[in-house]
Amino acid sequence: MTLDVEQRMEFVIAASRRNICEKTGGPFAAAVFESHTGRLVSLGVNLVETRGLSVLHAEIVALMLAQRKLRTWDLGGDGVPDHDLFTSTEPCAMCLGSIPWSGIRSVVMGARDEDARSIGFDEGEKPEGWAAALSRRGIRVLRDVRRGSARSVLDEYREKGVHVYSSRETRADA
C-alpha cells in the first residue's frame, strides 16, 4: 500500500509529537520517502538538546540516515530513485541550505516558519524567494500540508513549558 502525501505528512507529524512526549527532543520530525513508491527510507527527529549537537535538526538527521542507508550522498543521482523530504515544519536556514546538496527532488512541509517563530524558535535568516530558488533547481516545494495538525504539535510543546532553545539566548552579557 502506497501512502499518499497527506498520510506521509501525518506519519511525520506523529513522529514530531512522539518526540516531545518521549522527551527525546524538540517538536520537529522529517522523513525521506521514495517519490514514486512512497517507501519510507528514513525518519529523523530533532535531537539538538538530547544529544548536545546543534546540527541535529530533524531534516539533517533524516537526510544523513537516508544517505547512509542508500550508500550515496546524492539522493537524486544516477541509478537512484527520486526521493522526497517531508518535514513537520518548514526548514530553518541551516536545513534549507542542506536540501539542494542532498539530491532530494521535492520538499513537503507542514507548519510554516512563522509558526515555529511564534513559539520562540529562531529559524535563522532565509533568503526571500527561497521556495522559488529551490524550484529553479528542480526541487518541487509543497507547503501547508496538514499545517493545522503540524502547528498543534508546536503549540503542545509551548504549553508543556519546555525550554525553547536558540543559538543566542537573550541574556545580559550577550
Side-chain angles (χ1 to χ4, degrees):
M1 177 175 89
T2 301
L3 298 177
D4 67 21
V5 169
E6 299 256 336
Q7 291 169 317
R8 291 181 213 181
M9 182 56 73
E10 278 300 327
F11 172 79
V12 169
I13 293 167
S16 69
R17 180 170 280 115
R18 184 165 183 189
N19 202 39
I20 61 173
C21 290
E22 299 285 332
K23 297 181 179 164
T24 48
F28 306 104
V32 173
F33 293 92
E34 276 188 10
S35 300
H36 300 296
T37 67
R39 181 180 72 88
L40 175 66
V41 177
S42 65
L43 172 66
V45 294
N46 179 284
L47 300 169
V48 171
E49 288 197 299
T50 56
R51 299 283 193 237
L53 297 168
S54 64
V55 298
L56 291 184
H57 290 202
E59 296 91 336
I60 302 296
V61 173
L63 291 170
M64 289 186 331
L65 292 172
Q67 291 169 342
R68 180 169 228 188
K69 181 176 184 175
L70 298 175
R71 296 184 176 156
T72 180
W73 55 267
D74 187 354
L75 298 174
D78 292 338
V80 178
D82 289 351
H83 290 89
D84 304 324
L85 176 65
F86 279 67
T87 182
S88 61
T89 304
E90 284 182 9
C92 70
M94 177 183 69
C95 296
L96 177 63
S98 71
I99 290 169
W101 304 112
S102 71
I104 287 292
R105 297 297 184 185
S106 72
V107 182
V108 181
M109 298 160 276
R112 288 226 175 183
D113 180 91
E114 57 262 29
D115 298 330
R117 288 180 191 276
S118 74
I119 69 163
F121 281 98
D122 177 359
E123 297 297 280
E125 296 299 319
K126 296 193 293 193
E128 200 170 314
W130 61 267
L134 288 179
S135 293
R136 285 191 300 276
R137 287 176 160 252
I139 302 168
R140 293 178 313 276
V141 176
L142 182 57
R143 298 169 88 182
D144 300 334
V145 176
R146 308 291 296 161
R147 182 180 180 189
S149 182
R151 171 63 200 233
S152 73
V153 176
L154 297 171
D155 292 338
E156 285 175 35
Y157 189 75
R158 182 193 64 229
E159 289 166 11
K160 288 181 182 285
V162 180
H163 176 252
V164 175
Y165 58 86
S166 67
S167 62
R168 295 284 179 251
E169 304 285 345
T170 304
R171 53 183 184 239
D173 62 358

